[in-house]
Amino acid sequence: MSVRRIWASLSTLALAAAASLGVAGAAVAADSAAVGGYVALGDSYSSGVGAGDYLPDSGDCRRSANAYPQLWAAANSPTSFAFVACSGATTASVASGQLGALDASTALVSVTAGGNDVGFADVMQDCVLGSEATCISSVNTAVGEMNNSLPGKLDSLYGSIRSGAPSAQVVVLGYPRFYQLSGSCIAGLTEAERTAINDASDVLNGVLAKRAADAGFTFSSVVDEFTGHELCSGDAWIHSVTVPIQNSYHPTVAGQSGGYLPAFRSAV
């Protein structure tokens, strides 16, 4: 049996549960706190899946005490803090289930959304378990959705956020590249597959940045923060296929405190 097939076989159970992206940080210096309330919206990259220490009342949303919204709020003491990001969230479910936390007093909003809309975790499952051709075809399908259907979904969500919090600064955060190319991994995906996945992340971030700018929001990339800490880097801030299975392809504690938190802090 080939190394790739052995690795894929061992990964099957974990990847089945990673079919949604919603398949203790370093000390931080306090920023200038927002005047008013802070609301943290979004999917598992904002709720902190993969960072552990989940808040008891968060259930399947898996909101972590180590997630960047929690870390920023602890350092800055906004007048109110609503942490409503949820594992598995799409643009539609953020709009329908999370925006009730917004009101006229909300001064700051953070949001990650879009990855689940294009089925990015399904792409990762196809890439780990399928052939190179299957992987690249799945990536290309996701890229098509990013370019065609996702912009309208983001426009709708961003318009609803602005309606719910008319005076707030809204920070849209992107997603990291998953892989360091020509890195230390000796098994798993091919270099062509890793390149395609990274390129798709760049497309997704480009769409998010454009729609955020058109909405008058701030886009903050996390790519620079995660550079040198991708999978195959030897110092990854992203889980590979792992147990607990829901952690796969999500930021670690260090990814939240060293990746997402500085990217958010720099935008506020």
Side-chain angles (χ1 to χ4, degrees):
M1 182 179 289
S2 68
V3 171
R4 178 189 177 98
R5 186 166 296 277
I6 292 171
W7 186 83
S9 297
L10 292 173
S11 302
T12 302
L13 177 61
L15 264 293
S20 170
L21 283 177
V23 214
V28 295
D31 307 333
S32 297
V35 177
Y38 167 38
V39 177
L41 309 170
D43 58 23
S44 53
Y45 277 67
S46 287
S47 73
V49 170
D53 294 328
Y54 301 118
L55 303 177
D57 62 352
S58 67
D60 290 340
C61 286
R62 298 187 179 92
R63 288 186 280 269
S64 171
N66 302 313
Y68 77 85
Q70 193 80 17
L71 297 177
W72 190 91
N76 293 277
S77 302
T79 57
S80 63
F81 174 46
F83 187 15
V84 294
C86 189
S87 174
T90 63
T91 54
S93 66
V94 172
S96 65
Q98 299 182 21
L99 302 192
L102 304 175
D103 60 33
S105 71
T106 303
L108 178 64
V109 177
S110 62
V111 61
T112 55
N116 287 321
D117 291 79
V118 300
F120 215 74
D122 290 338
V123 170
M124 295 310 300
Q125 180 168 309
D126 288 344
C127 287
V128 169
L129 301 179
S131 66
E132 182 179 281
T134 297
C135 171
I136 292 176
S137 175
S138 186
V139 170
N140 289 339
T141 297
V143 169
E145 293 179 8
M146 293 172 199
N147 287 324
N148 295 316
S149 62
L150 184 59
K153 294 177 180 179
L154 292 170
D155 288 347
S156 178
L157 172 61
Y158 295 167
S160 296
I161 291 173
R162 177 52 70 214
S163 295
S167 301
Q169 178 188 8
V170 181
V171 179
V172 176
L173 291 105
Y175 297 93
R177 294 187 184 122
F178 280 1
Y179 293 100
Q180 183 180 96
L181 301 179
S182 302
S184 61
C185 292
I186 59 172
L189 306 188
T190 67
E191 199 74 350
E193 290 169 319
R194 293 175 184 141
T195 299
I197 290 165
N198 281 0
D199 288 348
S201 294
D202 289 345
V203 173
L204 178 56
N205 285 326
V207 171
L208 292 170
K210 177 63 165 61
R211 304 327 301 166
D214 286 356
F217 296 169
T218 302
F219 176 76
S220 187
S221 174
V222 299
V223 170
D224 285 349
E225 286 79 4
F226 276 86
T227 296
H229 299 288
E230 310 95 329
L231 296 172
C232 306
S233 68
D235 185 23
W237 288 355
I238 304 168
H239 292 284
S240 186
V241 178
T242 190
V243 176
I245 49 182
Q246 69 268 11
N247 289 355
S248 301
Y249 302 110
H250 286 85
T252 63
V253 171
Q256 288 288 336
S257 64
Y260 271 90
L261 178 61
F264 180 52
R265 195 169 53 208
S266 69
V268 174

